[in-house]
Amino acid sequence: MALPLSQLPVEILREVRERKWTAFLMFLVISFTVLGLGFVWPYKYKSEVVIFVDDSNIIQPLMEGSAVTTEVSDTTSAAREMLLTRKVLEAAAEDRDVYSDSGQVSPEVMESRIAALRSGLSVKSRGGNYFSIGYESTSQMEAFRVAQKLAQLFIEESNDRKRSESRSAYDFIDNQVKSYERQLAEVERRLQVFLSENVDGTEGDANARMATLRGQIELAQLEREQLVTRVQSLAQQLNEISPTIRREQTADEYADRIASLEEQLDSLRLRYLDTYPDIVILREQIAELRRQRTRAMADGGAGTVISDDVDNPLYQELRTSLARARTEIETIDTRISSLQRLMVQQTARMERIQGNKAEYAELTRDMQVNRQIYDDLLKRRERARVSMHLDIEGQGLKFRINEAAQYPTSPSGPKFLMFAMAGLVLGILAPFGSVAGLLQIDPRVRAKEQLDEEIGLPVLIEIPYVRTPFEKRRDRRLTNLVVFCSLVTAVVYIVIAVASGVGYF
């Protein structure tokens, strides 16, 4: 049954009073055990180096946009990961300034040193751009030298990594530039071969050519329709006019007309072939006039008046115009046929262009994309080149030791005085705490409240514990003896603690 809290102090004091020697032995054992632990507890000394991360200098604003300085995100964790690498730990474990026998150690000793370095290393953030690298060891000199060496190795490794990172970035971008340069040359070669094998041109050129041919065909058809209308009109007029007229003239007039027609014939021959309709008609007229002149001269001489039927000049003119119009129709028909043939050729050309359109679009797209990436990589390569030189010359991110390692003069862990004070306090509190714990699990009934609250039985009367005078005298003597022993033990404990604290032990 759980004891009520109001009765707990009284019961604790009664139990301790009844078990005085047990409480004294518990005080003695616990206090001196903690004091002995203070004697054998290994003291550890810690030395730290404070490092400042200089990520802003005069170079950064001057080179902004032209170079990228190396940055470190989450400096504390990055420094911890770097220092815990085996390369850095082995360099520290093999350093002769830290370990004098570094040149003759076995692999087992080296592994133990690396494990000790890994367990004693600590990296903490100090706020802002500051962080500390510390090392804790049982040896003051070892803690001091290892802290110095780890800070030195961290700065050297950071600088090497920055240079390697910048160099790797430049090499990578340079390889990408060369790769895209080869790809771009290959795409340009393929496009050149494609254009040399497909001379049909582009879709825009073919559409423009087809539109031009279509317009020319439409104009030729309109012109042909006009000529057909003109031929019909001339044929109608020609049917309404008589081909000959009655005329009286002398033989000499034939010579004048022949001379005039021959002059016209010579003029037409300068421009047309002999098969030209007008030339053929003029030659027939000249031959006819010569025959008429011969007949007239045979009948009555040159001055004889001759009445005969001659060709109507208007009829001849209309006939000539009709022949010219028909010839023009034939010419236009030939031109329309040629244009339609060209139109068919352009249609076939468009079909070929459409067939090659996908390949041409793919080649041009690849060339444009490769060109854009290639130009962008060229800019990035130059920026990477400048960034690499910045890191090589140490003008980028810098790590600077703000506070050097100090030789530790006092241990960093719990001191002997703390063990002494803790042993004395724990020795005094242990008996009371143990009794309090036992009372919570003791099934016996110690107070009437337990019966009222948990069982519900009414308590009629409570009989107090009565001791005889002899028992009281015996208990008093025993209590005085236990108190005396406790005081002697406390004095001895304090003397031992003070003597150890001033250096007697």
Side-chain angles (χ1 to χ4, degrees):
M1 297 181 183
L3 186 67
L5 294 179
S6 60
Q7 296 294 327
L8 187 61
V10 177
E11 293 297 328
I12 290 175
L13 291 177
R14 186 173 65 182
E15 291 292 334
V16 171
R17 189 168 53 248
E18 290 180 357
R19 297 173 175 81
K20 300 179 182 64
W21 287 111
T22 303
F24 170 73
L25 291 176
M26 185 177 294
F27 164 74
L28 181 66
V29 171
I30 292 178
S31 61
F32 276 92
T33 298
V34 175
L35 184 64
L37 184 62
F39 277 108
V40 299
W41 185 264
Y43 290 164
K44 291 188 177 182
Y45 299 89
K46 186 176 183 180
S47 181
E48 290 184 332
V49 178
V50 179
I51 295 179
F52 173 69
V53 183
D54 186 9
D55 58 353
S56 60
N57 50 35
I58 192 173
I59 295 296
Q60 184 173 2
L62 293 177
M63 301 304 295
E64 185 174 1
S66 299
V68 178
T69 56
T70 306
E71 298 181 357
V72 176
S73 58
D74 196 359
T75 310
T76 304
S77 60
R80 183 182 296 108
E81 294 298 327
M82 182 185 298
L83 290 172
L84 289 177
T85 57
R86 189 171 183 86
K87 175 183 177 182
V88 176
L89 294 178
E90 283 185 352
E94 294 174 353
D95 189 81
R96 294 182 178 274
D97 295 334
V98 180
Y99 303 99
S100 58
D101 57 345
S102 297
Q104 302 175 354
V105 296
S106 62
E108 292 78 9
V109 176
M110 179 63 68
E111 291 297 328
S112 64
R113 286 182 183 178
I114 292 176
L117 289 173
R118 185 176 282 114
S119 62
L121 174 65
S122 64
V123 181
K124 298 180 181 178
S125 175
R126 292 294 188 92
N129 291 348
Y130 295 88
F131 69 95
S132 63
I133 299 175
Y135 182 72
E136 191 175 43
S137 175
T138 56
S139 172
Q140 296 169 285
M141 183 58 68
E142 181 180 345
F144 171 68
R145 290 178 176 176
V146 170
Q148 280 185 325
K149 186 62 179 179
L150 289 176
Q152 179 184 356
L153 291 174
F154 169 75
I155 294 177
E156 293 177 355
E157 184 69 15
S158 298
N159 293 332
D160 292 341
R161 286 194 178 186
K162 286 191 298 178
R163 297 188 187 98
S164 176
E165 178 184 354
S166 300
R167 182 67 187 182
S168 300
Y170 173 78
D171 292 339
F172 173 76
I173 297 177
D174 183 60
N175 292 332
Q176 292 298 313
V177 168
K178 294 178 180 178
S179 175
Y180 273 95
E181 187 175 358
R182 292 191 296 269
Q183 294 181 18
L184 186 61
E186 177 63 20
V187 172
E188 290 178 347
R189 185 192 64 79
R190 290 169 53 193
L191 182 60
Q192 183 178 2
V193 171
F194 176 81
L195 293 177
S196 63
E197 294 178 352
N198 300 272
V199 294
D200 294 322
T202 62
E203 183 179 1
D205 296 338
N207 286 328
R209 180 59 178 166
M210 291 178 66
T212 302
L213 292 175
R214 194 177 294 111
Q216 292 178 357
I217 291 174
E218 291 176 354
L219 291 176
Q221 289 176 348
L222 290 176
E223 187 176 354
R224 186 181 184 283
E225 291 177 0
Q226 294 175 357
L227 290 175
V228 169
T229 303
R230 182 181 176 188
V231 167
Q232 294 174 355
S233 177
L234 290 174
Q236 183 179 0
Q237 293 178 12
L238 195 62
N239 293 330
E240 295 176 355
I241 298 175
S242 176
T244 59
I245 57 175
R246 187 76 177 177
R247 184 175 62 176
E248 295 179 354
Q249 57 184 357
T250 62
D252 294 334
E253 292 178 354
Y254 286 104
D256 296 336
R257 289 188 61 192
I258 291 172
S260 177
L261 292 177
E262 288 179 348
E263 184 178 354
Q264 295 179 12
L265 179 61
D266 293 336
S267 178
L268 289 175
R269 282 180 172 177
L270 295 175
R271 292 179 294 172
Y272 304 101
L273 298 176
D274 291 343
T275 57
Y276 191 69
D278 291 347
I279 295 176
V280 174
I281 293 172
L282 286 175
R283 292 175 65 183
E284 292 177 355
Q285 291 177 357
I286 292 172
E288 181 63 27
L289 287 175
R290 285 178 177 173
R291 287 193 297 269
Q292 292 177 6
R293 181 174 180 275
T294 302
R295 289 195 304 268
M297 290 179 66
D299 292 339
T304 304
V305 176
I306 303 173
S307 297
D308 59 350
D309 294 330
V310 297
D311 293 333
N312 189 349
L314 180 59
Y315 181 84
Q316 297 298 328
E317 184 178 355
L318 290 175
R319 184 181 175 184
T320 303
S321 299
L322 180 60
R324 185 184 299 111
R326 289 174 176 172
T327 303
E328 291 179 358
I329 289 176
E330 293 177 359
T331 304
I332 290 178
D333 289 339
T334 304
R335 187 171 64 182
I336 291 175
S337 299
S338 300
L339 292 173
Q340 289 177 346
R341 186 172 60 256
L342 291 175
M343 191 68 180
V344 172
Q345 294 176 359
Q346 289 300 318
T347 303
R349 174 191 176 192
M350 177 60 72
E351 292 177 356
R352 292 193 301 271
I353 291 175
Q354 291 295 333
N356 298 327
K357 183 178 180 181
E359 184 178 358
Y360 178 77
E362 182 180 359
L363 290 174
T364 54
R365 181 175 60 252
D366 291 346
M367 187 177 66
Q368 292 175 358
V369 171
N370 289 333
R371 174 66 66 181
Q372 292 176 357
I373 298 177
Y374 177 72
D375 294 339
D376 182 65
L377 286 174
L378 284 178
K379 297 178 183 178
R380 292 178 181 271
R381 185 177 66 176
E382 294 307 314
R383 295 179 62 185
R385 189 198 306 274
V386 179
S387 302
M388 180 180 62
H389 287 298
L390 284 178
D391 286 332
I392 291 176
E393 296 178 5
Q395 298 298 330
L397 182 68
K398 291 183 178 180
F399 293 98
R400 178 166 49 86
I401 296 179
N402 187 69
E403 183 178 341
Q406 301 295 324
Y407 185 83
T409 57
S410 60
S412 59
K415 300 178 176 59
F416 177 79
L417 181 60
M418 297 176 61
F419 282 96
M421 296 176 61
L424 189 61
V425 173
L426 291 176
I428 295 173
L429 296 179
F432 297 95
S434 300
V435 171
L438 291 174
L439 290 177
Q440 296 300 320
I441 62 175
D442 190 3
R444 293 179 296 175
V445 178
R446 294 176 177 273
K448 64 178 182 178
E449 288 81 359
Q450 291 178 281
L451 297 175
D452 294 337
E453 295 178 359
E454 297 185 11
I455 302 179
L457 296 177
V459 179
L460 299 178
I461 190 171
E462 182 180 1
I463 300 175
Y465 177 75
V466 178
R467 295 185 300 172
T468 63
F470 174 75
E471 291 176 342
K472 291 182 179 179
R473 289 193 302 270
R474 187 184 61 183
D475 184 68
R476 187 180 302 111
R477 287 194 300 268
L478 184 59
T479 301
N480 292 333
L481 180 61
V482 171
V483 171
F484 176 76
C485 293
S486 299
L487 292 175
V488 172
T489 302
V491 170
V492 173
Y493 184 92
I494 293 173
V495 170
I496 293 175
V498 172
S500 177
V502 297
Y504 284 101
F505 296 101

